Amino acid sequence: MTEEPMRGNRRSFRHLPQNSTNSDVGPPAYQRGWSANIPSCNAQLFGKINLPVSAEIRCVVALAITCVWDSEVVLRGFSRNSFHDLKGCFAKHMTAQEVRLCGLLLQEHFGEVVERIGTHLLRGGAQNLRTIANETNTPLDLVKKSLCVLVQHGACEFGSGRRGPGSPVEYRASCERVLRVLRYPRYIYTAKTLYGDTGELIVEEVLQRGHMTMSNTVKTVADRLTHNMEEGRSMEYSEVVSAFSKLVETHFLQRCPPVAEMGTAATSTTPATPSTPAAPASTSPPTAESNPDCYKLPHVTLIGRGKRRRSSDDSEEQRGGKKAKMDSESCGDEGIYWLVNFERFHQHFRDQAIISAVASKLDQTSSEIVRTMLRMSEVTTTQTAAYTQPLSANEIFRSLPPNYSISRPILDQYLSLLVDDPMEFVGKSGDSGGGMYVVNLQRALANLARATLESVVQERFGSRSARIFRLLLRKRHLEQKQVEDFAMIPAKEAKDMLYTLLSENLVQLQEIPKTPDHAPSRTFYLYTVNQLPTARLLLQHCYKTVANLIERRLFETKENKRLLEKSQRIEAILASLQASGAEPEQLTEVEEMITAPERQQLEALRHHINKLDSTENQVDETVFLLESYIFSTKTKRERGREGGEPGG
Amino acid sequence: MAGLGHSRGRGKGYMSFSIEAVGIGKGENLPPSILQPTPLFPPVEHKPVPLVMGEEAEYMLALKQEFRGNMKNLPFYVRPAVSKKDVERYSDKYQNSEPSDNTIEWNPDWKRLPKELRICVKKALKENTSLSVETTVDPKPRKKTRVDKEEIIHNLETLEEEVTSDEEEGEKKKQEEEQQDGEEEYDEEEFEEETDYIMSYFDNGEEFGGDSDDNMDEAVY
């Protein structure tokens, strides 16, 4: 059988692994580049797609057929009903990897029922209650419960159906919101570093419950803090309230958006019924930011102390709990729910990343200067801004932290160093006031993403491949010969490395025909790297990685379930024995019920699970960088589009 | 354009472009073509960088594991009801601690949810009793006279108690229920006084006979 070079059409399989089974080694002749120069190679469209033999690639092809550009799955289109025009987190494109990861996260945190409903919503788009129940074969009540849980945690939104206000309510899940669950530990830890233990517990409680009223949060946190304090001491509500207010003032917590009134579903609504929705059906559902009271604290006076929970005082506590419940009803902030403002935390992480990059590239003082600049522009910078508002050198000098007493000329020198640095963290936008400086947020993010890509290539393929990669990033398009020359790598090895990178889709091939008949001998083949699509590719790899880590952890836990249960039982017995004051011999006797090899196995299991968990946290840091970068380019493109089209 | 379509079937090793352009010299040894899928776990040439260790990483790890553990105990972790395969017992009425499908264990703010999602809210267990707080249910609106609302609701709730305790064994189907406006709160003390038994004294007899294995030769009276 003759093997042919693989031909492709416009939706070619360029994103497939190119481990070629053809007898000709090297890039297939009709490889397309990522950049939208689908050139005049219409000839290739007439070629037959000759699939290589391997079964693995066949499966990938089957998947690819359901994919459109950039391997994203486009869900069914939506009508002009504005509920479906949601931008932002209810994006219509979700990849298979993202859905898989979301499913695993939902399963771990909310159980299998919610996971089933959630993945169904993610895959299928907006659906109403009946459809969900029928298609997932779940009893209606369980579906209702799961939807309540999902809405409570902000992972699902509901709106009137696409056929207008009379049709049944439709629910839509948000992939992006579910993926945030991966970052919860980082949010909680950040709150701890900024606002201490109280802040940490507040954020943890709100994350656990989805959204809460302020009074509820304050009471729960006070109780928890009291529990950890020594006997006789308890936590004042006022301290918790002050921590809460600080979190709200700095925008880390925000109010839940008000819910549009849902008209009665089903049966006919007579014109006289006052409950039909007026405006909401035609306007997009309100976001949290659109509410002007978004960061306004309710006028509630909470006086009291945390209660210490004792196991012997169960009945007393129940009665106390009932009293507390009645108290909360009279607290006055009913209906005002607070949730964690993820975007603000992301801003904080981004600032941290920039500062640490400056610190490692230059020195500590420069990073302090950049930190000051970022702190000064916290409130004036919008989330999608490309750079901060211009700050004059005089202002910066005045706002430097007092323990960093550098003189004015030194500050100027540092600023000019920062401006001249090729990473372009800081830019100069004017000369008034001693020089106007901005922090280039978008460029900084792009540079951080680029550094991440380079680092990935270096760790996976070696430093010489990384050299080639960096070269292509900088020089854009290079021929094979030029790559060899610039990278100072012998031809054979350079070729090898290039083809490896090509097969991993980190490098693309761009054809420039010299003649209209695209004869291969008269065509330039240029290697190129496009940062944005490569970043997207790596992001999907990251999602897949995290999903694999979670699956492996679940597998390990399942394998050793018997052993884990045994050890839990032994611990429970030990605890109860100790509480009732047993002899040391009895304790050792119980402890010996776990044999030494079992203990070793348990230890190894714990070590593995900790490692897997820790790895998830660290992959999430990369995910954050890449997501921020991709998001910042999206807004840049939208701004460019808006600016380019007259009249919008 | 037409010329490219003719390159098929000319024999092995013929390519439609000149191989010199790609950089393969004449007669050079090309690696053999691979005719099987890539291995599932390919050998890794470069070992990955070790994980970041340190106080921060460990603290976040602990946070993550604690959070996961806590979520499993919260009412948001939805567990489907397991149908009991045993004989129906009287104590079930007072001892049911398993989640059932048609009750929700936490109290969401129903104003923020569409009406069709409302289900009964099950109050937290107190000792061994289970209570249902009646809230509204059905999407079908029914006009009901407000006169004697208290009595009717009270009667219905008592009836419902018996019905739900019987049906908790089998599969739950959707039940048609009257729509009632407003919430009813069952007073716990009142409910307790209705029963003839003091709850803490209730012993369902399952522990009986467990301790007396040593004296099996003696008859037990």
Side-chain angles (χ1 to χ4, degrees):
Chain A
M1 194 226 305
T2 41
E3 304 260 74
E4 259 200 67
M6 203 162 80
R7 299 166 190 260
N9 57 13
R10 176 171 313 176
R11 291 160 48 147
S12 80
F13 308 114
R14 70 220 175 295
H15 53 272
L16 294 182
Q18 297 294 330
N19 295 324
S20 176
T21 61
N22 302 332
S23 53
D24 56 331
V25 173
Y30 312 108
Q31 179 90 26
R32 280 295 168 286
W34 286 82
S35 52
N37 290 339
I38 316 292
S40 29
C41 298
N42 288 315
Q44 274 63 4
L45 288 174
F46 300 128
K48 195 175 70 178
I49 300 175
N50 194 1
L51 296 179
V53 182
S54 94
E56 180 205 34
I57 301 205
R58 226 178 255 135
C59 304
V60 180
V61 163
L63 178 64
I65 286 174
T66 59
C67 297
V68 194
W69 208 250
D70 281 359
S71 76
E72 286 172 343
V73 180
V74 175
L75 305 173
R76 45 179 141 127
F78 298 108
S79 69
R80 47 200 153 65
N81 190 334
S82 54
F83 165 59
H84 306 282
D85 290 343
L86 286 176
K87 293 200 179 114
C89 65
F90 294 96
K92 297 167 191 153
H93 296 213
M94 284 158 226
T95 67
Q97 293 302 337
E98 286 175 6
V99 174
R100 175 175 164 229
L101 178 56
C102 288
L104 285 167
L105 288 171
L106 286 174
Q107 183 187 338
E108 285 217 301
H109 292 262
F110 301 113
E112 294 197 353
V113 182
V114 177
E115 185 252 329
R116 212 176 331 145
I117 310 285
T119 38
H120 185 78
L121 274 175
L122 285 168
R123 285 208 180 99
Q127 289 164 69
N128 61 15
L129 185 61
R130 287 281 164 186
T131 323
I132 302 173
N134 290 338
E135 290 180 9
T136 55
N137 288 327
T138 324
L140 198 63
D141 288 317
L142 279 179
V143 179
K144 289 184 191 174
K145 259 206 259 195
S146 316
L147 286 172
C148 288
V149 168
L150 285 172
V151 174
Q152 170 81 13
H153 282 84
C156 172
E157 271 209 357
F158 56 91
S160 54
R162 56 194 96 168
R163 286 194 293 275
S167 57
V169 177
E170 288 196 339
Y171 302 90
R172 206 161 157 198
S174 156
C175 191
E176 195 182 302
R177 173 64 184 84
V178 180
L179 289 174
R180 293 289 156 262
V181 174
L182 208 49
R183 213 164 287 160
Y184 280 4
R186 203 169 168 192
Y187 298 139
I188 302 174
Y189 182 72
T190 308
K192 184 189 172 80
T193 52
L194 292 174
Y195 298 108
D197 284 340
T198 321
E200 176 195 4
L201 286 184
I202 292 176
V203 170
E204 188 177 345
E205 280 297 317
V206 178
L207 283 174
Q208 270 180 357
R209 310 266 165 171
H211 53 74
M212 284 173 94
T213 58
M214 178 164 139
S215 37
N216 224 347
T217 319
V218 168
K219 289 194 184 103
T220 324
V221 172
D223 289 344
R224 273 183 75 174
L225 283 167
T226 311
H227 191 66
N228 290 336
M229 286 165 131
E230 11 178 275
E231 282 290 327
R233 293 190 52 205
S234 60
M235 189 68 173
E236 279 270 358
Y237 281 3
S238 54
E239 283 181 48
V240 185
V241 170
S242 75
F244 194 96
S245 346
K246 271 189 254 168
L247 279 166
V248 173
E249 272 163 24
T250 42
H251 292 7
F252 283 107
L253 290 176
Q254 62 184 180
R255 285 203 198 189
C256 286
V259 180
E261 252 308 312
M262 297 306 306
T264 47
T267 57
S268 58
T269 50
T270 61
T273 2
S275 60
T276 40
S282 52
T283 57
S284 51
T287 58
E289 293 285 330
S290 60
N291 181 4
D293 291 337
C294 174
Y295 299 111
K296 201 160 79 161
L297 284 168
H299 295 294
V300 185
T301 42
L302 291 160
I303 306 169
R305 311 186 74 92
K307 294 180 211 4
R308 186 182 298 276
R309 194 161 8 135
R310 273 173 256 266
S311 46
S312 54
D313 287 349
D314 237 328
S315 53
E316 182 192 309
E317 196 256 313
Q318 291 286 354
R319 256 179 270 130
K322 195 169 160 207
K323 204 167 51 151
K325 184 170 180 287
M326 292 200 289
D327 278 349
S328 79
E329 284 166 5
S330 57
C331 247
D333 69 340
E334 285 298 304
I336 304 177
Y337 295 97
W338 299 87
L339 45 75
V340 173
N341 183 5
F342 295 126
E343 291 311 321
R344 178 69 184 88
F345 274 103
H346 293 168
Q347 233 178 321
H348 181 87
F349 297 155
R350 180 199 62 195
D351 294 348
Q352 267 183 333
I354 296 177
I355 292 167
S356 66
V358 173
S360 60
K361 182 112 202 280
L362 297 172
D363 74 340
Q364 184 69 18
T365 318
S366 334
S367 75
E368 282 306 318
I369 296 174
V370 175
R371 191 201 298 271
T372 313
M373 288 174 75
L374 284 168
R375 204 171 8 97
M376 288 162 65
S377 1
E378 248 170 21
V379 268
T380 51
T381 317
T382 59
Q383 187 216 331
T384 52
Y387 37 80
T388 61
Q389 295 292 324
L391 299 164
S392 72
N394 297 331
E395 283 175 358
I396 300 173
F397 184 64
R398 277 198 295 269
S399 320
L400 277 176
N403 49 343
Y404 260 92
S405 52
I406 54 176
S407 62
R408 184 58 204 277
I410 307 267
L411 171 71
D412 286 335
Q413 280 182 353
Y414 267 113
L415 283 170
S416 60
L417 264 177
L418 279 165
V419 168
D420 290 335
D421 189 75
M423 292 287 263
E424 289 181 319
F425 289 119
V426 174
K428 189 163 183 181
S429 71
D431 287 315
S432 60
M436 302 293 279
Y437 296 94
V438 291
V439 178
N440 289 321
L441 298 167
Q442 217 161 56
R443 217 161 298 170
L445 274 176
N447 285 330
L448 286 170
R450 181 167 53 81
T452 311
L453 299 181
E454 289 170 5
S455 154
V456 165
V457 173
Q458 179 167 334
E459 294 304 327
R460 278 181 69 189
F461 302 106
S463 49
R464 296 209 286 176
S465 302
R467 210 190 307 163
I468 295 179
F469 188 78
R470 275 196 292 268
L471 189 66
L472 285 169
L473 263 177
R474 231 140 273 186
K475 301 262 187 185
R476 297 308 180 96
H477 296 271
L478 287 176
E479 273 189 328
Q480 174 129 17
K481 189 86 181 43
Q482 289 172 304
V483 169
E484 293 161 17
D485 292 341
F486 282 127
M488 295 181 287
I489 296 175
K492 217 174 169 118
E493 293 165 29
K495 220 189 317 167
D496 207 17
M497 291 176 200
L498 268 173
Y499 294 159
T500 317
L501 286 176
L502 195 61
S503 70
E504 298 283 338
N505 260 313
L506 292 162
V507 155
Q508 283 85 41
L509 201 55
Q510 174 74 51
E511 295 175 21
I512 313 247
K514 287 191 237 186
T515 54
D517 67 348
H518 293 270
S521 56
R522 292 190 291 275
T523 315
F524 287 116
Y525 292 99
L526 300 177
Y527 289 98
T528 182
V529 176
N530 284 327
Q531 192 170 327
L532 184 57
T534 314
R536 283 216 182 96
L537 173 74
L538 271 185
L539 183 60
Q540 295 305 314
H541 281 336
C542 287
Y543 288 142
K544 184 171 177 189
T545 309
V546 181
N548 287 348
L549 286 168
I550 298 180
E551 288 225 26
R552 180 70 200 195
R553 180 162 44 83
L554 292 175
F555 171 77
E556 294 268 334
T557 317
K558 200 162 70 147
E559 282 276 294
N560 295 291
K561 200 162 96 142
R562 191 197 67 86
L563 190 57
L564 276 172
E565 280 175 2
K566 179 176 174 183
S567 87
Q568 277 169 1
R569 255 184 295 130
I570 304 261
E571 274 174 33
I573 296 176
L574 270 176
S576 66
L577 276 183
Q578 267 175 345
S580 60
E583 309 274 325
E585 293 89 34
Q586 283 179 305
L587 291 175
T588 40
E589 199 182 305
V590 170
E591 273 171 11
E592 273 163 22
M593 283 168 67
I594 305 185
T595 64
E598 280 182 345
R599 225 177 269 280
Q600 264 184 338
Q601 207 180 338
L602 267 176
E603 197 43 54
L605 174 68
R606 259 179 220 133
H607 179 73
H608 289 159
I609 291 189
N610 285 350
K611 231 184 162 98
L612 290 167
D613 264 330
S614 199
T615 316
E616 281 173 43
N617 282 342
Q618 293 184 23
V619 176
D620 180 64
E621 289 180 17
T622 313
V623 167
F624 169 69
L625 267 179
L626 293 173
E627 273 180 357
S628 308
Y629 164 62
I630 293 171
F631 183 70
S632 73
T633 55
K634 203 192 314 179
T635 45
K636 183 166 98 176
R637 271 179 286 133
E638 275 170 17
R639 239 181 285 131
R641 221 182 298 143
E642 281 165 28
E645 291 165 16
Chain B
M1 287 194 226
L4 294 165
H6 291 164
S7 55
R8 278 170 276 224
R10 292 285 183 89
K12 206 170 155 186
Y14 179 83
M15 272 148 271
S16 56
F17 56 94
S18 65
I19 13 182
E20 281 88 30
V22 200
I24 305 168
K26 235 178 157 76
E28 205 178 295
N29 264 341
L30 303 170
S33 50
I34 307 165
L35 294 167
Q36 57 190 358
T38 48
L40 197 54
F41 294 107
V44 175
E45 298 123 23
H46 300 91
K47 291 289 171 218
V49 178
L51 289 176
V52 173
M53 287 303 168
E55 215 183 284
E56 186 179 323
E58 282 178 23
Y59 194 81
M60 293 227 283
L61 171 68
L63 278 176
K64 187 185 173 98
Q65 291 180 334
E66 263 177 43
F67 192 89
R68 226 183 12 242
N70 288 342
M71 288 303 280
K72 290 211 159 60
N73 295 329
L74 282 176
F76 303 118
Y77 199 93
V78 175
R79 292 186 169 90
V82 182
S83 57
K84 271 203 294 231
K85 298 185 176 56
D86 202 0
V87 176
E88 200 182 304
R89 294 176 193 277
Y90 179 79
S91 62
D92 290 342
K93 200 158 138 188
Y94 304 105
Q95 252 190 6
N96 191 5
S97 56
E98 287 170 10
S100 62
D101 276 357
N102 73 338
T103 56
I104 192 169
E105 281 93 22
W106 48 290
N107 194 6
D109 188 0
W110 297 112
K111 295 193 210 86
R112 293 182 68 91
L113 293 167
K115 288 197 176 63
E116 61 182 7
L117 288 185
R118 288 189 94 154
I119 30 184
C120 300
V121 177
K122 186 175 185 175
K123 259 230 206 117
L125 294 178
K126 182 179 185 233
E127 290 167 14
N128 281 335
T129 55
S130 77
L131 308 164
S132 297
V133 176
E134 287 286 322
T135 51
T136 178
V137 185
D138 194 35
K140 257 199 275 176
R142 285 266 292 268
K143 296 241 166 65
K144 197 108 171 101
T145 51
R146 309 289 170 99
V147 181
D148 299 332
K149 188 179 87 162
E150 297 287 315
E151 278 181 36
I152 296 174
I153 291 172
H154 193 86
N155 290 341
L156 286 171
E157 279 170 351
T158 334
L159 281 171
E160 246 240 331
E161 275 279 22
E162 297 164 40
V163 169
T164 45
S165 61
D166 284 341
E167 285 190 358
E168 254 159 17
E169 319 281 331
E171 273 182 36
K172 285 268 169 211
K173 302 264 161 66
K174 190 171 81 91
Q175 296 171 17
E176 295 290 316
E177 291 174 72
E178 314 276 1
Q179 185 196 22
Q180 292 149 10
D181 294 337
E183 276 186 271
E184 277 292 314
E185 189 139 348
Y186 241 138
D187 200 352
E188 292 166 27
E189 280 90 23
E190 193 188 292
F191 182 75
E192 275 198 307
E193 283 165 14
E194 280 182 17
T195 66
D196 296 337
Y197 305 97
I198 303 173
M199 290 320 303
S200 51
Y201 287 3
F202 186 75
D203 176 18
N204 60 5
E206 277 172 358
E207 290 94 31
F208 179 73
D211 301 335
S212 55
D213 282 334
D214 300 334
N215 304 326
M216 278 317 283
D217 46 332
E218 276 183 47
V220 180
Y221 296 105

